[in-house]
Amino acid sequence: MKRGKGLHRKTPLRTTKPLKAKRISIAPGKTTTNPRKPKRPATQPGETETRAIVRARSGGWCEVAIPGVCLGRATNYQHRVNRSQGGKYTPSAALDACGSGTTGCHGAIHASPARAYENGWSVRSTDHPLTRPVLRRGEWVLLDDAGGYTPALNLGAA
């Protein structure tokens, strides 16, 4: 059998019956593109304000600052308590980190969860971020929800 250009139809296909429109019943709060999945709001309650407070606290510089990994400028918001585990948008539950989910300090946090929990960059869902100290730029501190922090003397990775 000879190889060629393939099959080509010289006349277009014609439909014999008109296409029927599908009727979709949509429950309240659902979207038309996917009637089963509600559309997530663009921002969560308090998200915009919290991001602004965290960025002001960091001054635009990485708060994690892992030596040999840090890229300097903060480009990502790092949840200390994962959103999937009930993490809220509060300044004590967030850090301004450099890199992405795979690079810089943000990537290092996701690549080494044990180290992140040990240094307070991540907090278990059973702990409260206000009472869990964090290693911020080489200093142990307690973050508050007003956008500040206080030294956590002799607490280490309590």
Side-chain angles (χ1 to χ4, degrees), residues 58-72:
S58 73
W61 294 99
C62 181
E63 293 185 288
V64 180
I66 301 171
V69 176
C70 189
L71 303 173

Side-chain angles (χ1 to χ4, degrees), residues 7 12 33 35-38 55 59 81 105 122 127-128 147:
L7 298 175
T33 55
R36 295 182 189 144
K37 184 177 181 182
R55 181 53 52 104
V81 179
C105 292
S122 291
D127 292 339
H128 197 281

